[in-house]
Amino acid sequence: MISAEKNTVVTETATRHFVSCWIGGRLHGIDILEIREINSEKGFTPIFHAPPQVRGYVNIRGQIHLVVDPRIPLGLPEAAASPVGKGRQQLLIFKSHVAETFALLVDRVGDIIEVPADRIEPPEVSAAGTSSLSAGVCKLDGQLMELLDPRGFLKLAP
């Protein structure tokens, strides 16, 4: 883009916005365009014989959502059962283009973080290939934020 005032070239850096959340003491981010709402519903209905990362179903305004705990797929220890609510665990409910009626259970939700695209590194590649849970890593001032791909959590379910 060329500025009309001084005829100088102005470069525009693309930015992305992430909802930050804490899971097991680690900072994670999920693209804001994938999240429909943040909810503090606490009444889960267990699903018998479900994989350990599936916490159950939750009814939010008449719509049933599958609740997935990301700790197990991320290799983190299970959290002690604590109620969902203000100051406690929260649900990130995703838009339908991510998955129909799907929510992640996180320890707490932080701020919306704006990140220049050039500060995002691609996900690490292991011997088995790229992790389906990671969408990359972002270098913030003083810490790293692992970016999550919510679709990867559904791929783990049998």
Side-chain angles (χ1 to χ4, degrees):
M1 174 201 270
I2 298 177
S3 172
E5 291 179 14
K6 297 181 182 177
N7 208 18
T8 58
V9 176
V10 178
T11 58
E12 293 183 22
T13 304
T15 59
R16 295 183 56 196
H17 294 83
F18 297 94
V19 173
S20 64
C21 59
W22 294 89
I23 304 168
R26 293 184 186 171
L27 178 62
H28 296 276
I30 298 175
D31 193 316
I32 194 169
L33 297 175
E34 297 182 335
I35 296 176
R36 189 179 83 203
E37 72 177 90
I38 298 167
N39 195 293
S40 299
E41 181 61 45
K42 55 188 164 194
F44 299 145
T45 301
I47 302 170
F48 299 104
H49 306 292
Q53 69 265 21
V54 175
R55 292 289 298 268
Y57 287 119
V58 64
N59 184 341
I60 299 174
R61 293 182 299 280
Q63 189 167 15
I64 306 300
H65 298 273
L66 177 70
V67 178
V68 174
D69 185 345
R71 289 172 169 272
I72 295 169
L74 291 173
L76 300 171
E78 289 186 52
S82 67
V84 175
K86 188 170 183 172
R88 298 180 182 98
Q89 292 177 321
Q90 293 176 299
L91 296 173
L92 296 177
I93 300 174
F94 295 95
K95 293 180 179 178
S96 61
H97 73 267
V98 174
E100 286 294 324
T101 65
F102 164 57
L104 274 183
L105 181 65
V106 299
D107 296 338
R108 70 181 168 93
V109 175
D111 295 323
I112 295 172
I113 299 175
E114 184 176 339
V115 179
D118 60 354
R119 292 181 72 184
I120 299 171
E121 296 183 14
E124 291 185 20
V125 178
S126 65
T130 304
S131 169
S132 64
L133 303 177
S134 179
V137 177
C138 174
K139 295 179 182 179
L140 301 176
D141 296 330
Q143 62 185 339
L144 291 177
M145 178 172 66
E146 182 180 3
L147 306 176
L148 298 177
D149 179 1
R151 293 165 192 84
F153 292 96
L154 293 176
K155 293 176 186 174
L156 298 174

